[in-house]
Amino acid sequence: MAQRVALHTRLKPGKEAEYERVHAVIPPELDTALREAGVHSWRIWRDGRDLFHVVEVEDYGAMRNALRDHAANIPWQARMAELLEVEDDYSGNDSGISLVWELP
C-alpha cells in the first residue's frame, strides 16, 4: 500500500516564475529515478512563495534515502537550493506534514 505524504517548501523571494519554468519539464533521468524509487505521483501547488507537495510513494523514507546520492538527483537538488529558502538534506528522517483530517 502506497503512502501519501504532504510537504511544504518555500521559495526565495522573486523565484516563483523560475521555479515554474524549471518544473515545466523535469529531466528524464530524474523522472526515471523517482519512479524507480517507488514514486507513483508527485503534485506541487504554489500559493505565492509557498509550495505544497503531495507525494504518493511506496515508502517515503526509502525513496528519500535512495535518491539522496543518486546521480540524477544531486544536480536537481543543487538547482532547487538556488530557488528554495531551506536546503534539504534528503536524510529521509522527516515524515512530511501531519494529517489533521480527511473526508472518509
Side-chain angles (χ1 to χ4, degrees), residues 50-83:
D50 291 298
L51 302 168
F52 301 93
H53 312 242
V54 175
V55 183
E56 292 184 18
V57 60
E58 288 303 316
D59 180 326
Y60 179 70
M63 178 270 294
R64 299 277 293 197
N65 288 322
L67 292 175
R68 181 180 51 235
D69 298 319
H70 195 287
N73 191 43
I74 292 171
W76 182 258
Q77 292 308 315
R79 182 70 173 107
M80 292 302 100
E82 297 171 1
L83 305 175

Side-chain angles (χ1 to χ4, degrees), residues 16-78:
E16 298 89 345
E18 186 176 354
Y19 183 86
E20 290 191 15
R21 270 194 312 277
V22 168
H23 279 80
V25 178
I26 67 167
E29 59 274 11
L30 181 61
D31 181 286
T32 299
L34 289 166
R35 293 175 193 281
E36 288 176 350
V39 176
H40 298 284
S41 72
W42 194 314
R43 295 177 177 94
I44 304 172
W45 291 264
R46 184 175 68 79
D47 182 20
R49 292 175 40 218
D50 291 298
L51 302 168
F52 301 93
H53 312 242
V54 175
V55 183
E56 292 184 18
V57 60
E58 288 303 316
D59 180 326
Y60 179 70
M63 178 270 294
R64 299 277 293 197
N65 288 322
L67 292 175
R68 181 180 51 235
D69 298 319
H70 195 287
N73 191 43
I74 292 171
W76 182 258
Q77 292 308 315

